[in-house]
């Protein structure tokens, strides 16, 4: 009789072509956050074909989809597997045959693959439902790129309830991890995220007579420089933190002799500790106001702190690593000590129940080092989709088995 690992791998191999085609369909017709109408329909259609999956549509205020599978044995815990489903406003520059057919829209962050491997996990676990006690929720969340979708699923759709979710897992396609491997952050998979906007108002005029003006650009340049000093010198150096100025706008192109009235700076702040985020907020607002005043300009600084950090649960890290190595082979699932400061609203779930977020490698000899996330030439190594599905299925079964042993 085949053991659990062999059965999972056998099913994964069988469904791999179907998962790749499913992912290609999603990739060819990407949809932006909260507009994922066709995407949701494709997901629901795929789930309806899986025996004994209970499918709920129109979740998360519109385009969320949830599938629920119950094991045939009595009792058991509840595990949630989550995929994000939205694309980005990016014009695709790859030459794949299934290139985006929606102008200015592309799956440049791998959410098409995320969706495919959670559908794959549902297909595998449905075939093994006689083997476990417990419930699996397969959650397909819209709007992640805009920090949306998760909260209505929790607060309106009560996705973490009835039955209550005991553990939640997700994964991201990761360009710096080799295909065939999975990395797991030792603590923080993603950081807290925030944005800032600083508007400096001076007095415009002719560039020939700057002494009659209050140049907001001069103040803005000093503020941009000072912001880097905040990150370097005013925050505990042992704590990860980032302040990045990402845009600065003033004046009009072609008017090279006109000092404008206003200049606007925008950017992002990141840290793993929310207290550090609050400190950065206070420092940015105070620094901008002080420099603007020194230039006799007015300043309106706004700092908004959004997502919490995604912190991996230690027990679920060990469980996930075990499953990763069972499916991918020894040494192919490893711990990443480096803290990552990207943002992900998976934190809405993992701040409420224990969670673990994985990084599925997609780098090949052809693609390694060529692109990062949100690139117009972003590509997925499609051969990783079915093995990722297998890893998720194994995680679920190992979790249920562990809980049975502890009860």
């Amino acid at each position: 009789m085949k053991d659990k690992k062999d059965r999972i791998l056998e099913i994964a191999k069988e469904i791999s072509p179907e998962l790749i085609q499913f992912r290609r369909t999603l990739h060819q017709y990407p949809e932006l956050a909260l507009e994922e109408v066709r995407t949701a329909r494709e997901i629901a259609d795929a789930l309806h074909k899986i025996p004994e999956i209970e499918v709920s549509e129109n979740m998360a205020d519109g385009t969320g989809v949830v599938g629920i599978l119950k094991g045939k044995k009595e009792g058991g815990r509840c595990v949630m597997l989550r995929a994000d489903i939205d694309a980005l406003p990016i014009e695709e520059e790859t030459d794949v045959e299934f290139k985006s057919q929606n102008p200015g829209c592309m799956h440049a962050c791998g959410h098409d693959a995320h969706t495919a491997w959670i559908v794959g996990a549902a297909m595998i676990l449905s075939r093994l439902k006689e083997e476990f006690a417990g419930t699996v929720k397969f959650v397909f969340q819209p709007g992640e790129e805009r920090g949306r979708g998760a909260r209505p699923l929790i607060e309106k759709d009560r996705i973490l309830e009835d039955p209550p979710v005991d553990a939640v897992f997700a994964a991201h396609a990761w360009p710096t991890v080799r295909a065939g491997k999975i990395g797991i952050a030792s603590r923080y998979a993603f950081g807290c995220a925030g944005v800032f906007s600083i508007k400096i108002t001076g007095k415009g005029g002719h560039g020939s007579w700057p002494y009659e003006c209050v140049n907001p650009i001069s103040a803005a340049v000093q503020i941009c420089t000072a912001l880097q000093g905040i990150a370097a010198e005013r925050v505990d150096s042992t704590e990860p933190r980032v302040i990045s100025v990402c845009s600065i706008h003033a004046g009009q192109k072609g008017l090279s002799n006109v000092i404008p009235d206003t200049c606007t700076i925008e950017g992002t702040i990141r840290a793993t500790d929310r207290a550090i985020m609050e400190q950065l907020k206070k420092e940015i607002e105070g620094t901008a106001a002080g420099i603007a005043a020194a230039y006799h300009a007015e300043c309106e600084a706004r700092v908004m702190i959004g997502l919490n950090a995604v912190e991996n649960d230690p027990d679920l890290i060990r469980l996930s690593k075990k499953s990763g190595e069972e499916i991918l082979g020894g040494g192919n699932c490893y711990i990443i000590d480096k803290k990552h400061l990207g943002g992900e609203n998976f934190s809405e779930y993992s701040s409420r129940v224990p969670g673990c977020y994985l990084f599925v490698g997609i780098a090949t000899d052809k693609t390694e080092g060529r692109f990062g996330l949100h690139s117009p030439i972003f590509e997925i190594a499609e051969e990783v989709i079915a093995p990722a599905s297998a890893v998720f299925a194994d995680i679920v079964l190992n979790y249920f088995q562990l809980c049975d042993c502890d009860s």
Side-chain angles (χ1 to χ4, degrees), residues 235-394:
V235 177
D236 184 348
S237 62
T238 64
E239 293 292 337
R241 70 277 184 216
V242 166
I243 300 177
S244 291
V245 174
C246 298
S247 73
I248 181 167
H249 294 280
Q252 297 182 40
K253 186 176 181 181
L255 296 181
S256 57
N257 62 348
V258 178
I259 293 173
D261 288 314
T262 63
C263 181
T264 301
I265 304 165
E266 294 181 332
T268 187
I269 60 173
R270 304 293 170 101
T272 53
D273 189 326
R274 197 168 184 89
I276 297 295
M277 296 288 283
E278 295 290 350
Q279 183 183 355
L280 292 175
K281 179 180 187 294
K282 181 180 178 181
E283 294 281 0
I284 289 170
E285 292 173 344
T287 296
I291 292 174
Y295 277 82
H296 306 289
E298 295 180 2
C299 176
E300 181 184 349
R302 297 180 61 212
V303 182
M304 293 169 286
I305 300 173
L307 303 175
N308 287 320
V310 174
E311 186 172 2
N312 284 340
D313 178 85
D315 291 335
L316 298 187
I317 290 173
R318 287 189 287 271
L319 178 80
S320 299
K321 185 174 185 294
K322 175 185 176 183
S323 288
E325 293 197 327
E326 282 180 357
I327 297 300
L328 303 177
N332 286 325
C333 189
Y334 60 95
I335 302 301
I336 300 172
D337 290 325
K338 183 178 180 181
K339 297 177 179 67
H340 176 61
L341 293 182
E344 231 284 9
N345 71 351
F346 182 79
S347 59
E348 295 282 6
Y349 312 112
S350 61
S351 63
R352 291 171 168 85
V353 298
C356 189
Y357 200 104
L358 317 179
F359 297 134
V360 174
I362 59 169
T364 64
D365 290 341
K366 174 188 173 185
T367 64
E368 188 167 23
R370 288 187 60 235
F371 54 76
L373 302 180
H374 296 197
S375 166
I377 60 170
F378 186 88
E379 290 185 43
I380 292 287
E382 292 180 313
E383 66 270 18
V384 310
I385 295 175
S389 298
V391 170
F392 274 115
D394 198 66

Side-chain angles (χ1 to χ4, degrees), residues 11 15 19 50 115-125 385-386 389-390 393:
I11 299 169
I15 65 176
L19 294 179
I50 304 173
T115 301
W117 60 52
I118 297 303
V119 167
M123 295 169 75
I124 295 170
L125 289 167
I385 295 175
S389 298

